[in-house]
Amino acid sequence: MLYSSLFLALLSASLSAAAPSTHDHAHSLRAHATRDGGHSLQLQVKPQDDMNDPDDLTVAATIINNGSKAVKILNDPNSVLSTWKTHTFDFVAIPSVGPDGLKSKASSLPASVDAIRVKYNPTVAASLEDSDVYTVLQPGESKTIVHDLSGMYNFHTVGSYGVRLTAAAEYLRVVEDDGSISMVPAALSAGSETATLALLSIPSTATLTSRKGLVNAGKPGLDVFVDPLAAHLGSRMVRRVEDPKFKNCTAEQQSAINEAIPFANQYIENANQYLNGTLGERYTTWFGAQMENRTEIVKGHYANLTGMPDKFQFDCSCNQPDTYAYVYPNKFPTVYFCGAFWRAPANGTDSKAGTIVHEGTHFTNIGSTDDYAYGQSGAKDLAKSDPDQGVMNADSHEYFSENNPQLD
């Protein structure tokens, strides 16, 4: 290997102090990190040594509590503590250095990524008593999570790629004793080896493009449905008749979804009417200062959403208690509902109808939105600090649609 064992070492990052970020939207998240609670955490990230096929790709992340007290960290789907196949890591090509000391002209493009989008509310998650929604680390304790990234990335060239956290993953959400949530920064650094990243090596014989694509969400049991009756009867054939609009949904769940769909359509119709009139506080609260290009983006999203809730298909197999829903952006029209969705009201703040709008904006044929900020306070902060991202943030669209409390 051109790069020796130096690139195989675990690289650590101190989470008790922020470091400059190379990510374009990191500052919008830093705006929310008002305090870090005085915690001392360390992050180590290590990809597999060599990658021969993007359908067989893993990265291990280890969190170490170097502080003097226990920490309770939310398993945010966009963080290194969760195995959801969200956009947590970036792979950036590193130019090789020849004998003459000159760097090669390697592609400067990062590996392209296809990731799922998850609706999550940290405040709702923090209120749950379910131990599956957070990780507790005692002083000196660590936890390693192996991320299966198969099918997510397509690379542009062979050689070495630096592994970086995306901006959404640069912070861990720590639940304090009083129930508040501290945002603890997680900036990758190699100590004195500045500009050195954890590296993934791709040999010249490797396959660069995924052949399978994104085929699972990264959580055990999701996207796979085993009929309990079929399992009970063993090899006997069981014929299951279902409404093609619903998959793995009970009659009660179907009824709840059908109740929410008209509210979602009303939200979209109302949003379109508002956007075609005079824009005021309602718009600026959720999307920031008005600029024609940004306003047209939002208008386009809602125009594309018109009539879509009636075309969506719904899968109820996800039981994650802290998660509302998720989608594969390139796999229209299926929306997957999870545990938090069933506890939500049909309409109103963080509602079932709002969740349908939220997830709909993620589809590439509708809006291609991302999850830059979660919750009403996060969305409001994003509108002020980075309106360009505000108009591409799914929760911003949901809260604009729900309009609760009502704004003009």
Side-chain angles (χ1 to χ4, degrees):
M1 289 289 170
L2 176 62
Y3 295 98
S4 66
S5 58
L6 170 64
F7 297 147
L8 304 181
L10 288 175
L11 301 179
S12 64
S14 171
L15 302 188
S16 56
S21 172
T22 59
H23 301 291
D24 292 339
H25 57 277
H27 66 279
S28 63
L29 288 174
R30 287 202 179 96
H32 312 151
T34 56
R35 64 192 182 101
D36 63 16
H39 302 291
S40 179
L41 301 173
Q42 186 179 33
L43 172 65
Q44 297 177 333
V45 174
K46 186 183 186 303
Q48 60 196 59
D49 292 346
D50 297 315
M51 189 213 72
N52 291 291
D53 187 343
D55 289 324
D56 181 18
L57 174 62
T58 61
V59 168
T62 300
I63 299 291
I64 307 168
N65 181 11
N66 289 329
S68 59
K69 63 179 182 178
V71 290
K72 181 179 180 181
I73 311 171
L74 290 176
N75 296 335
D76 185 329
N78 290 301
S79 78
V80 295
L81 283 172
S82 171
T83 60
W84 282 103
K85 285 190 171 181
T86 55
H87 188 189
T88 304
F89 303 100
D90 274 326
F91 293 87
V92 182
I94 304 297
S96 60
V97 180
D100 55 1
L102 298 177
K103 293 183 178 180
S104 67
K105 296 182 179 180
S107 170
S108 59
L109 294 174
S112 58
V113 59
D114 182 14
I116 66 167
R117 301 288 189 268
V118 178
K119 174 170 167 56
Y120 174 83
N121 188 311
T123 303
V124 171
S127 69
L128 300 176
E129 297 297 329
D130 194 320
S131 61
D132 289 337
V133 307
Y134 53 81
T135 295
V136 175
L137 295 179
Q138 300 297 327
E141 188 178 9
S142 66
K143 181 175 182 178
T144 297
I145 303 91
V146 178
H147 294 259
D148 170 19
L149 307 181
S150 59
M152 292 182 63
Y153 293 87
N154 293 313
F155 295 84
H156 301 285
T157 184
V158 299
S160 292
Y161 281 76
V163 184
R164 290 174 175 165
L165 293 178
T166 60
E170 287 184 352
Y171 292 85
L172 296 175
R173 303 178 190 270
V174 175
V175 181
E176 304 293 352
D177 294 339
D178 61 1
S180 63
I181 299 174
S182 293
M183 297 284 283
V184 180
L188 280 177
S189 169
S192 61
E193 300 285 345
T194 56
T196 300
L197 301 172
L199 293 190
L200 172 72
S201 181
I202 302 180
S204 59
T205 56
T207 300
L208 297 179
T209 303
S210 169
R211 288 167 289 188
K212 296 180 180 179
L214 187 60
V215 296
N216 65 74
K219 302 293 286 187
L222 295 191
D223 304 342
V224 178
F225 177 69
V226 178
D227 190 306
L229 179 58
H232 176 70
L233 296 178
S235 60
R236 290 177 59 184
M237 183 66 71
V238 174
R239 184 177 181 180
R240 184 180 180 91
V241 179
E242 288 189 332
D243 184 331
K245 189 176 184 66
F246 302 100
K247 183 178 180 181
N248 307 322
C249 301
T250 66
E252 183 179 5
Q253 289 172 326
Q254 292 182 35
S255 178
I257 296 169
N258 283 330
E259 181 188 9
I261 289 174
F263 288 118
N265 284 323
Q266 289 173 18
Y267 283 157
I268 295 165
E269 180 181 2
N270 176 271
N272 279 314
Q273 291 175 352
Y274 177 88
L275 290 168
N276 287 324
T278 301
L279 306 185
E281 184 183 9
R282 178 179 174 185
Y283 178 90
T284 56
T285 295
W286 301 116
F287 297 120
Q290 295 181 43
M291 286 188 63
E292 184 177 358
N293 62 328
R294 290 199 294 257
T295 303
E296 290 304 311
I297 288 173
V298 176
K299 287 182 177 180
H301 291 169
Y302 281 100
N304 292 340
L305 272 171
T306 302
M308 285 302 182
D310 294 315
K311 297 180 181 180
F312 293 156
Q313 296 176 2
F314 304 101
D315 188 308
C316 306
S317 58
C318 173
N319 61 3
Q320 299 295 308
D322 58 346
T323 304
Y324 285 80
Y326 69 96
V327 297
Y328 296 82
N330 295 319
K331 294 183 179 180
F332 178 87
T334 302
V335 177
Y336 297 81
F337 291 133
C338 303
F341 178 84
W342 308 114
R343 299 189 301 271
N347 62 346
T349 304
D350 284 309
S351 62
K352 291 184 178 72
T355 298
I356 292 172
V357 172
H358 174 121
E359 294 304 320
T361 66
H362 282 317
F363 287 117
T364 53
N365 62 321
I366 294 178
S368 294
T369 62
D370 210 323
D371 294 309
Y372 294 115
Y374 285 128
Q376 285 198 342
S377 61
K380 289 178 180 179
D381 288 344
L382 185 64
K384 296 175 183 177
S385 65
D386 196 334
D388 286 339
Q389 286 190 3
V391 300
M392 293 301 296
N393 186 57
D395 251 4
S396 303
H397 287 73
E398 175 176 344
Y399 297 132
F400 173 81
S401 302
E402 293 169 340
N403 196 24
N404 186 38
Q406 186 171 342
L407 300 172
D408 296 323

